Amino acid sequence: MKFSEIIDGLKEGRCYTRFQTPAYHGKLICRQVPNTISPEVVQKASSIPQDLKVLLSTIGLEDEMKGHLEYHDQILIVTCNDHERLSATSWNPSAEDIFAEDWATA
């Protein structure tokens, strides 16, 4: 499958890998689900630096959105095998990934 063919699937929540490419063994890509995080959750989140929490509590487009954090348009590469720690990090396709034709549903 070509990369252009998986974009709609990513938007729909499907995961993909390149089974024929050793670098992708035990790894898959997926779209992180867009979400808006409330100020209460932002303040409790251990993954958000304290300086950013302070800044976010003072800004926002409208008073009812002040302190909310929206995230969107992120693709993750997830390591999920028995040989490495389960992890997820942001991912951007390389030119090789874009032109590859070995993409498959994970």
Side-chain angles (χ1 to χ4, degrees):
M1 187 178 323
K2 296 178 182 179
F3 186 76
S4 60
E5 296 174 284
I6 73 170
I7 294 173
D8 285 338
L10 288 168
K11 290 178 184 178
E12 294 167 1
R14 288 195 286 279
C15 300
Y16 296 91
T17 191
R18 295 180 61 195
F19 287 116
Q20 298 174 16
T21 304
Y24 281 84
H25 288 183
K27 296 181 180 176
L28 57 87
I29 64 165
C30 61
R31 179 182 184 207
Q32 187 172 13
V33 178
N35 200 356
T36 300
I37 304 171
S38 71
E40 296 78 26
V41 173
V42 166
Q43 293 305 313
K44 293 178 183 176
S46 62
S47 60
I48 299 174
Q50 186 60 37
D51 286 353
L52 180 57
K53 291 177 185 180
V54 172
L55 178 63
L56 291 175
S57 70
T58 65
I59 59 175
L61 291 175
E62 302 169 10
D63 285 339
E64 67 266 9
M65 291 304 291
K66 194 169 292 302
H68 285 77
L69 179 61
E70 179 182 295
Y71 60 90
H72 52 86
D73 302 326
Q74 298 180 75
I75 299 177
L76 301 176
I77 188 163
V78 181
T79 301
C80 48
N81 62 51
D82 292 332
H83 310 292
E84 299 176 71
R85 181 177 292 155
L86 181 64
S87 67
T89 191
S90 61
W91 179 82
N92 290 304
S94 67
E96 180 181 337
D97 293 321
I98 292 169
F99 293 111
E101 296 187 7
D102 64 345
W103 287 99
T105 303

